[in-house]
Every structure is written in structure tokens, then in C-alpha cells.
Amino acid sequence: MVNVNYEIKMGKLSGKVAVITASTDGIGFAIAKKMASEGAKIVVSSRKEANVESAVDNLKKQGYKDIIGTVCHVAKQADRENLLKKAAEAFGRIDILVSNAAVNPVFGLTEDVSGEAFDKIFDINVKAPFMLTKEVLPYLRKNDGGSIVYVSSVAGIQPFSFLGCYSVSKTALLSLTKVFASELATSNIRVNCVAPGLIKTNFSKPLYESEAAYEIALSQIPLNRLGQPDDVSGIVAFLCSKEADYITGETIVVGGGIPSRL
């Protein structure tokens, strides 16, 4: 029988330290698990301590030893700085940042979105990834490079009905990817993005929980199924690995063939 820990040690991310926001459930948790399976040391985070403890316990029970977690509300500077500090203190370095946290507090016509809701969407979905990138740079540069991945959405390429402001915020990440990829290339820091389609998570439940919504969703997906978090996690792990060393500034759509670009 092959030893699980041996498999983990020999993975494509062996020796790397990955910090992943909103990683106690859904896509974020799948990314954490996949990266751990590829040998990375993982720092999970979430706004709720109970969720962090549960995710860490879950991963450790599956045989992944180098796992820690901490509470992090990405809109709070002190939380972001503490997240990075704890990662560096625990593992001695940071090599990878995956910015996954996102919110969508409203569903309806864009003209009806309040200024308060707009600010919340952009604080979490755009400003927080921007600030986290700035804050993680000293750690990455200390190691002569690293990798950053933003989790956007296919809605950022083809806006979803009744999710106007959310879609616009995800479009901003596509541009942020290209801007930082260009500016950070000389520091050997690669910046890429994934744009999931309709992935079956608690976050996206309003888009598929009713039978009518589910049928409408399937009608737009050529592969005729909803995506699973594991459909996204492997792409993120790849983008952070040596195999993707010549890829930066790119957005990879993981949408089952859903129309997203020319």
C-alpha cells in the first residue's frame, strides 16, 4: 500500500506554503485540499472561527499534517495582516496566495442596488484582493517569487442576470490580473485568474436550488451538469505549480462550455 504522506510529500507543490482566503467550504476548501494533496503547507481562513477549526480538523483527519487556520475577514486590514503573519511564523515563508473570498448580498436589477450594498461587494470582491496582493508582496519577494491566483467568475466575462454589481466586481479581477501580472513579472511573481461557471456550492445555491432555476442553468451548459468544487481546484493547483511557470496574466474559464468569450 502506498503511504499517503509519501504521496503528499512528492507532490508538484512540495515545500510551498499557500494562503487561501474563504477556504473552509466550497471552492476554497477544495483548493486547500488539492494543494495539500500536492504537498503544499496550507493556511485556511474564514470569518468564523468554528468554520476554521472544522476545516483544519477535516484536513488533518484526511492525513494532511501541515495545516493551520485563522479567522480572517478580508475587508479588515488587521485580519489580513494577521493571516499573512501567522502563515510566515508557522511555516517560515509564503509562496502562494489564492484570493477566493467574495460576497453577493443582493439579487435583482442593478438600478435597485443600494450604495451600501455596492460598497460591500467591491470592498470584499475587489479591494480586498488588491490589498492582499500588496500585503503579500514582501513575503513573496523574500523568496524570489511566487504565485497569486484570483478566483473570479464566468459572470465577469458574461454578466449574470440579476447579479449586475457582482458581475462587474468579477470583471474587475480580470483586469487586476493583467495589471499585476505585467508589473510583478520582474519580481518573478506570476498572477493568474480562474473564472468558475455554475459550481455547486452553498454560495451559488440561489442559482440552482429550485427545479426551474436548475433546468435553466443546465440549458446553458454544454456538458449538461453543474460544476463541482474539485473541477476548479486542480486548475488552481496547476497555475501555482512549476508546470505553469510560463503562464501569467491569464484567466482560465472552468464552466463546462458555458458561453464566455469569442
Side-chain angles (χ1 to χ4, degrees):
M1 179 179 294
V2 177
N3 183 277
V4 173
N5 288 330
Y6 177 78
E7 288 187 319
I8 294 170
K9 183 178 180 181
M10 298 303 291
K12 67 178 67 174
L13 299 177
S14 181
K16 302 297 185 182
V17 176
V19 175
I20 309 159
T21 64
S23 47
T24 61
D25 190 21
I27 292 174
F29 182 78
I31 292 169
K33 180 179 175 181
K34 178 62 177 178
M35 287 189 161
S37 77
E38 293 290 353
K41 300 173 182 180
I42 302 297
V43 184
V44 299
S45 66
S46 173
R47 291 181 298 169
K48 297 182 179 180
E49 186 172 359
N51 292 347
V52 172
E53 292 175 352
S54 176
V56 170
D57 184 59
N58 188 340
L59 290 170
K60 286 187 173 181
K61 284 181 177 178
Q62 295 184 58
Y64 306 115
K65 305 301 182 185
D66 292 320
I67 310 289
I68 67 166
T70 188
V71 171
C72 180
H73 189 311
V74 295
K76 298 179 179 179
Q77 180 180 351
D79 279 14
R80 296 192 306 267
E81 292 177 347
N82 181 61
L83 171 65
L84 300 175
K85 180 181 177 182
K86 284 195 171 184
E89 288 176 347
F91 299 126
R93 59 190 292 142
I94 299 174
D95 302 282
I96 296 165
L97 170 67
V98 179
S99 179
N100 176 60
V103 296
N104 178 55
V106 291
F107 185 81
L109 295 176
T110 304
E111 66 182 85
D112 295 328
V113 175
S114 68
E116 181 181 10
F118 181 93
D119 287 345
K120 182 176 182 178
I121 291 169
F122 278 79
D123 277 350
I124 301 295
N125 297 5
V126 182
K127 184 179 179 181
F130 167 72
M131 294 304 298
L132 268 169
T133 300
K134 287 165 57 69
E135 290 154 356
V136 81
L137 289 182
Y139 296 95
L140 299 183
R141 284 177 170 144
K142 186 178 180 181
N143 302 328
D144 297 321
S147 182
I148 298 170
V149 175
Y150 303 127
V151 179
S152 178
S153 168
V154 71
I157 300 170
Q158 182 61 48
F160 286 169
S161 299
F162 304 112
L163 293 173
C165 288
Y166 172 82
S167 298
V168 173
S169 74
K170 291 300 187 176
T171 301
L173 289 181
L174 309 184
S175 184
L176 194 66
T177 297
K178 291 186 176 296
V179 169
F180 271 131
S182 176
E183 293 182 1
L184 299 177
T186 56
S187 295
N188 196 33
I189 296 170
R190 296 184 300 103
V191 185
N192 289 293
C193 184
V194 293
L198 186 49
I199 308 299
K200 196 171 184 180
T201 65
N202 289 329
F203 183 83
S204 63
K205 190 176 289 186
L207 298 177
Y208 66 80
E209 61 183 343
S210 73
E211 184 175 348
Y214 180 75
E215 291 302 323
I216 291 172
L218 283 188
S219 71
Q220 301 176 57
I221 303 172
L223 286 184
N224 199 41
R225 69 172 177 87
L226 302 185
Q228 298 295 327
D230 285 343
D231 291 320
V232 181
S233 62
I235 299 298
V236 177
F238 162 73
L239 287 172
C240 296
S241 74
K242 191 73 176 174
E243 295 174 351
D245 240 11
Y246 202 53
I247 299 175
T248 194
E250 298 296 335
T251 294
I252 298 180
V253 175
V254 188
I258 191 170
S260 59
R261 63 181 72 184
L262 292 175

